[in-house]
Amino acid sequence: MPLPVLTPNDFASDQDVRWCPGCGDYSILAQMKKVMPTLGLPREKIVFISGIGCSSRFPYYMNTYGMHSIHGRAPAVATGLKTCRPDLQVWVITGDGDGLSIGGNHLMHAIRRNMDLNIVLFNNRIYGLTKGQYSPTSPAGKKTKSTPMGSIDNPLHPLSIAIGAEATFVARSIDTNIKHLAETLKRAADHRGTAFVEVYQNCNVFNDGAWSYAKDRNTKAETTLELEHGKPLIFGKDRDKGVRLNGLEPEVVALGGGIAEDDLLFHDERSPEPSLAYLLSRMRYEDGFPEPIGVFRAVEKPKYDDMINDQIEEATKMHGIGDLEKLYNAGETWEVE
Amino acid sequence: MATATEKHVENLDEATVRFCGDSGDGMQLAGTQFTNTSALAGNDVATFPDFPAEIRAPRGTKAGVSGFQIHFSSKDIYTPGDTVDALVAMNPAALITNLDDLRPGGILIVNTDNFDKKGLEQAGYEGNPLEDPELEEKYKVHQMDMTKLTRSAVDGLGLSVKEADRCKNFFAMGLVFWLYDRSLDPTLRFIDAKFGKKPEIAQANVAALKAGYHYGDTVEGWNTQYLVEKAKLPPGRYRNMMGNQALAWGLVTSAKLSHKRLFLGAYPITPASDILHELAKHKHFDVLTFQAEDEIAAVTSTIGAAFAGEMAVTASSGPGIALKGEGLGLAVITELPMIVINVQRGGPSTGLPTKTEQSDLLQAMYGRNGECPMPVIAASSPSDCFDAIQEAWRIAVEYMTPVFFLTDGYIANGSEPWRIPDVSELNKVRVKHPDPMPDSNDEGAPKFMPYARDEKLARPWAVPGTPTLEHRIGGLEKQDGSGNVSYDPANHEHMIHTRAAKIAGIANGIPEQAVDGPDSGDLLVVSWGGPYGACATAVHRAQAKGLKVSHAHLRYLNPFPRNLAELLGRFKKVLVPEINCGQLQMILRAEFLIDAIPYNRVQGKPFAVHELLEKIEECVAS
Ligand SMILES: Cc1ncc(C[n+]2csc(CCOP(=O)(O)OP(=O)(O)O)c2C)c(N)n1
Ligand code: SF4
């Protein structure tokens, strides 16, 4: 039987969406609903698991299976689910506080196991739900309610963390760049293994404009760089700048005047070595670099959910299907008359 | 030296033997072998392994002493014994820490190697206790240099000195096997299975074992063998069973009989780790074992597995359970079935990690935020774990709730004979998952209600992958019925009461509390968990003395059996022995307004029967 044709609307639940007007979360929700019908999966095969935070209300708004769990633990909940049910497509929705602070441990371990999960981290560089404390991605010096004199923590960079944990798929997108966002989510869904996507998300109430440099129509061409596999790293409104390697360091160069495209760094998302992806994850606006968006890394590796189930199959081949009588009676037993 | 002497055999009803030595001396192995052999010989057995907290404390120190006690009998027994009839001490530290438990007139077997200046000092002896004439007066002492005897027994097999010395536990075993007239065959089979690939080690162990046996048979001073007849256990096929193993097998059984995959989310912690180890061996039963990154992931992955529709279990001990607290709240509010095992150990914090305690009852009952009721069930003995855990799964599924399952280090590592059940006689748990809704595109068509309730107040267990039942659950309060997020004050109160009523209603589906003895009298001893055996034994002895004492052992701690209040009221006094400072006693007082008398010991070890008996007598007399 052919699958009924679904539309984005079929993925909307009957619940009122309760984010602040203007929140970047709306856009991510809209793009997710748009991507869903393109996955060729019926609604009942899709599950959204989230932690706690504004972003983590997400599952309530999707007409799929879902669980709004507890702070930071969504990757672990999803792990139990996916281990038992490899047939389901499981999405993890998390925030910068949720995923990197309280849930940092689980995030790291879910990624290194390469469980087939799609993890989307909404990065607004602030704690939204608890009303505006600094988060692990807030820049040093950030003044918030909990840091009136400025934060003295060094920020974490989600993609560097993910790559450090041996992620097989890492990507970045921006809430307002809707076409790019939809494409990125689609690619994450298609990846076999853990796909980790960071989305720059605006919290217009507690951290408005945190990403304005990357979103602003006038500056984004200079401050971001769209990655394309096999292509040189070129950016700028007139596509006149590039990034090349100077030893082990990236540097921004102007094209022309002796520097040609071939001198630039070429993007290779399939490189077995994560070094290039890591280097890209360290290019930051405040250091004078354009920030890459798109897919940093996409490689195939064995998946945990396959392997754990393969072991069961293998054990069954070795010992036959578990038989209780056999189990009880193996080894030393004795008879009482 | 070796001269054949006249030997004679003395019949005993029961005996208790303890092997103790340095943690590297193989005392646990010696104990296990002796247990299996005694069980195979038809005795009832109960064991008490006692591990040091340090994996490898400095050799010869008190901190490194490892012990294994076996009580074996021709009658039904419930405890590993208070005092020891025969003690094997492999070094001075073992002697100094264990001698007090040897009954006067008991047999003391001492390996004299290490009784030098350094060894004695390490153990904290001022002089050599073996030179104290009182020792010979008080006990039947047998001294020998086991190390030397073992070395000569394995001489010529090409072993290094270190390898040779490692065989001395087999020498000690052989000697005790002779003393109690046990067959060497099970241990010979064990050696073959375990060391078959290293023939010289296997040969050496056999040689040491036989040397020990023949030593008893031939050397002067050993003239009595003791014989403990078979016990009259109910007919059937038996095997020796440890608590954690019984628990794991019970889980495998439940999963198989309810046609579920078994998912265990766990993080290693003593004394619960063996559940993970045991289950990891049974993957061909469709068992998924997940060693999580921490206890929080262990419990939350278990919630994910429960959501997936499988038999979900997490196992830990007190400190790990503390970490799971928040997750358990999520399990309660999402009303998903799962089992949470706590193999209790001494606390607080890391406490006494290798020693037993029952001090997590209040944690299980109340250790979560909010009004967060969970059923609590406790196993009473190693083999009871097998049955009780299946009961936990039945309750979890029938009532759609996480269930707390309590055992303790003593039950987990102890062993006893287990009558192998017929699979057909085991209870099957029927699991219902709702079918898809009738397909309808009408606006007014009925919608799936994830929090609709049945007569037991359980909600439906709809599993992802089922078309038309898509729904969202989570930690925010739910509207009863629809399952939508609700901040409505009246609904919240309604849900709190509904969740509580659901758990309280479990009382209607469990047996009434049974009593061992008359159902009224002067004193009712109320126990739960590991002290079952000690309480049963002490009460039987009190009854034999003519005291009007009965025993109620609780398997169900939340909710209590529905007749418990009435039962408690039929006795003049109620005594509650616990290896904690009075946790059940406090709950009984609060629930039933009775002046339950506490009896508490918190020393990291089980109750001594004679102490309990004294307390019972004191209660009845006063
Ligand atoms: C155990 C626990 N600690 C603290 C909180 C409070 N809390 C809720 S959301 C949150 C931060 C969420 O930040 P982020 O992930 O950045 O999400 P956002 O709201 O910005 O989307 C905190 C601290 C909680 N719910 N649970
Ligand atoms: S507080 Fe910020 S992140 Fe949360 S909903 Fe409002 S705008 Fe969005």
Side-chain angles (χ1 to χ4, degrees), chain B residues 580-602:
Chain B
N580 61 36
C581 291
Q583 302 195 3
L584 174 66
Q585 177 251 359
M586 183 177 120
I587 297 171
L588 290 177
R589 281 185 174 200
E591 287 257 321
F592 303 116
L593 290 174
I594 56 156
D595 191 15
I597 306 161
Y599 178 71
N600 308 105
R601 286 280 181 280
V602 207

Short mmCIF file of all heavy atoms in Angstrom, two decimals, chain B residues 580-602:
data_model
loop_
_atom_site.label_atom_id
_atom_site.label_comp_id
_atom_site.label_asym_id
_atom_site.label_seq_id
_atom_site.Cartn_x
_atom_site.Cartn_y
_atom_site.Cartn_z
N ASN B 580 18.74 -1.40 60.33
CA ASN B 580 18.73 0.05 60.12
C ASN B 580 18.28 0.63 61.45
O ASN B 580 18.18 -0.09 62.44
CB ASN B 580 17.78 0.43 58.96
CG ASN B 580 16.34 0.03 59.22
OD1 ASN B 580 15.85 0.09 60.34
ND2 ASN B 580 15.65 -0.39 58.17
N CYS B 581 17.98 1.90 61.50
CA CYS B 581 17.63 2.49 62.79
C CYS B 581 16.12 2.53 63.04
O CYS B 581 15.65 3.31 63.86
CB CYS B 581 18.23 3.88 62.93
SG CYS B 581 20.02 3.83 63.08
N GLY B 582 15.36 1.74 62.31
CA GLY B 582 13.93 1.66 62.61
C GLY B 582 13.04 2.24 61.53
O GLY B 582 12.09 2.96 61.83
N GLN B 583 13.31 1.91 60.28
CA GLN B 583 12.56 2.54 59.19
C GLN B 583 11.17 1.93 59.02
O GLN B 583 10.19 2.67 58.93
CB GLN B 583 13.37 2.47 57.90
CG GLN B 583 14.73 3.17 58.06
CD GLN B 583 15.44 3.46 56.76
OE1 GLN B 583 14.92 3.21 55.67
NE2 GLN B 583 16.64 4.02 56.85
N LEU B 584 11.06 0.61 58.97
CA LEU B 584 9.73 0.01 58.85
C LEU B 584 8.92 0.29 60.11
O LEU B 584 7.73 0.60 60.06
CB LEU B 584 9.82 -1.50 58.62
CG LEU B 584 8.46 -2.20 58.62
CD1 LEU B 584 7.61 -1.75 57.43
CD2 LEU B 584 8.61 -3.73 58.60
N GLN B 585 9.62 0.21 61.24
CA GLN B 585 8.94 0.44 62.51
C GLN B 585 8.31 1.83 62.52
O GLN B 585 7.19 2.02 62.96
CB GLN B 585 9.98 0.27 63.63
CG GLN B 585 9.47 0.54 65.01
CD GLN B 585 10.05 1.82 65.56
OE1 GLN B 585 10.85 2.50 64.91
NE2 GLN B 585 9.65 2.17 66.76
N MET B 586 9.02 2.81 61.97
CA MET B 586 8.49 4.16 61.92
C MET B 586 7.24 4.23 61.02
O MET B 586 6.24 4.86 61.37
CB MET B 586 9.57 5.08 61.36
CG MET B 586 9.20 6.52 61.32
SD MET B 586 10.63 7.45 60.71
CE MET B 586 9.90 8.15 59.27
N ILE B 587 7.29 3.53 59.89
CA ILE B 587 6.15 3.55 58.98
C ILE B 587 4.95 2.85 59.62
O ILE B 587 3.81 3.33 59.52
CB ILE B 587 6.52 2.88 57.64
CG1 ILE B 587 7.64 3.66 56.95
CG2 ILE B 587 5.31 2.80 56.71
CD1 ILE B 587 8.22 2.97 55.73
N LEU B 588 5.21 1.73 60.29
CA LEU B 588 4.10 1.01 60.94
C LEU B 588 3.45 1.88 62.01
O LEU B 588 2.23 1.93 62.14
CB LEU B 588 4.61 -0.29 61.56
CG LEU B 588 5.04 -1.39 60.58
CD1 LEU B 588 5.59 -2.59 61.34
CD2 LEU B 588 3.90 -1.81 59.67
N ARG B 589 4.30 2.57 62.76
CA ARG B 589 3.75 3.48 63.79
C ARG B 589 2.89 4.55 63.14
O ARG B 589 1.80 4.85 63.61
CB ARG B 589 4.88 4.17 64.54
CG ARG B 589 5.51 3.29 65.57
CD ARG B 589 6.54 4.08 66.37
NE ARG B 589 7.05 3.29 67.47
CZ ARG B 589 7.64 3.80 68.52
NH1 ARG B 589 7.83 5.10 68.62
NH2 ARG B 589 8.05 3.01 69.49
N ALA B 590 3.41 5.13 62.06
CA ALA B 590 2.70 6.23 61.42
C ALA B 590 1.39 5.75 60.79
O ALA B 590 0.36 6.40 60.90
CB ALA B 590 3.59 6.88 60.38
N GLU B 591 1.44 4.58 60.16
CA GLU B 591 0.26 4.10 59.43
C GLU B 591 -0.79 3.55 60.36
O GLU B 591 -1.98 3.71 60.12
CB GLU B 591 0.67 2.96 58.48
CG GLU B 591 1.44 3.42 57.28
CD GLU B 591 0.59 3.46 56.02
OE1 GLU B 591 -0.24 2.56 55.82
OE2 GLU B 591 0.78 4.41 55.25
N PHE B 592 -0.35 2.81 61.40
CA PHE B 592 -1.31 2.04 62.18
C PHE B 592 -1.43 2.51 63.63
O PHE B 592 -2.15 1.91 64.41
CB PHE B 592 -0.94 0.55 62.15
CG PHE B 592 -0.86 0.00 60.76
CD1 PHE B 592 0.34 -0.48 60.24
CD2 PHE B 592 -1.98 -0.04 59.94
CE1 PHE B 592 0.42 -0.98 58.96
CE2 PHE B 592 -1.91 -0.55 58.66
CZ PHE B 592 -0.70 -1.01 58.16
N LEU B 593 -0.72 3.56 64.00
CA LEU B 593 -0.76 4.08 65.36
C LEU B 593 -0.53 2.98 66.39
O LEU B 593 -1.26 2.87 67.37
CB LEU B 593 -2.10 4.77 65.61
CG LEU B 593 -2.30 6.08 64.86
CD1 LEU B 593 -3.72 6.60 65.07
CD2 LEU B 593 -1.28 7.12 65.32
N ILE B 594 0.45 2.11 66.13
CA ILE B 594 0.77 1.10 67.13
C ILE B 594 2.17 1.36 67.67
O ILE B 594 3.01 1.94 66.99
CB ILE B 594 0.73 -0.34 66.56
CG1 ILE B 594 1.68 -0.45 65.36
CG2 ILE B 594 -0.67 -0.76 66.20
CD1 ILE B 594 2.13 -1.85 65.11
N ASP B 595 2.39 0.88 68.90
CA ASP B 595 3.67 1.14 69.54
C ASP B 595 4.65 0.02 69.20
O ASP B 595 5.07 -0.74 70.07
CB ASP B 595 3.44 1.25 71.06
CG ASP B 595 4.68 1.77 71.77
OD1 ASP B 595 5.56 2.30 71.07
OD2 ASP B 595 4.75 1.63 73.00
N ALA B 596 4.96 -0.09 67.92
CA ALA B 596 5.88 -1.15 67.49
C ALA B 596 7.24 -0.94 68.14
O ALA B 596 7.74 0.18 68.21
CB ALA B 596 5.99 -1.15 65.98
N ILE B 597 7.82 -2.07 68.59
CA ILE B 597 9.12 -1.98 69.28
C ILE B 597 10.24 -2.19 68.27
O ILE B 597 10.23 -3.17 67.53
CB ILE B 597 9.22 -3.08 70.36
CG1 ILE B 597 8.01 -3.00 71.31
CG2 ILE B 597 10.53 -2.98 71.12
CD1 ILE B 597 7.79 -4.29 72.10
N PRO B 598 11.18 -1.28 68.22
CA PRO B 598 12.27 -1.46 67.27
C PRO B 598 13.35 -2.40 67.83
O PRO B 598 13.53 -2.46 69.04
CB PRO B 598 12.84 -0.05 67.12
CG PRO B 598 12.54 0.62 68.43
CD PRO B 598 11.27 -0.01 68.96
N TYR B 599 13.99 -3.13 66.95
CA TYR B 599 15.20 -3.86 67.35
C TYR B 599 16.19 -3.68 66.21
O TYR B 599 15.97 -4.15 65.10
CB TYR B 599 14.90 -5.34 67.57
CG TYR B 599 16.15 -6.11 67.93
CD1 TYR B 599 16.76 -5.95 69.17
CD2 TYR B 599 16.75 -6.97 67.00
CE1 TYR B 599 17.92 -6.63 69.50
CE2 TYR B 599 17.92 -7.65 67.32
CZ TYR B 599 18.50 -7.48 68.57
OH TYR B 599 19.66 -8.14 68.87
N ASN B 600 17.23 -2.94 66.47
CA ASN B 600 18.10 -2.54 65.37
C ASN B 600 19.56 -2.85 65.63
O ASN B 600 20.06 -2.71 66.74
CB ASN B 600 17.94 -1.04 65.11
CG ASN B 600 16.48 -0.66 64.93
OD1 ASN B 600 15.87 -0.07 65.81
ND2 ASN B 600 15.92 -1.08 63.82
N ARG B 601 20.22 -3.30 64.57
CA ARG B 601 21.67 -3.47 64.56
C ARG B 601 22.11 -2.91 63.22
O ARG B 601 21.50 -3.22 62.20
CB ARG B 601 22.04 -4.96 64.60
CG ARG B 601 21.85 -5.62 65.93
CD ARG B 601 23.02 -5.29 66.87
NE ARG B 601 22.87 -5.95 68.15
CZ ARG B 601 22.07 -5.51 69.12
NH1 ARG B 601 21.35 -4.42 68.96
NH2 ARG B 601 21.99 -6.17 70.26
N VAL B 602 23.14 -2.08 63.24
CA VAL B 602 23.63 -1.54 61.96
C VAL B 602 25.13 -1.72 61.94
O VAL B 602 25.90 -0.78 62.12
CB VAL B 602 23.26 -0.05 61.78
CG1 VAL B 602 23.17 0.29 60.30
CG2 VAL B 602 21.96 0.30 62.46
#
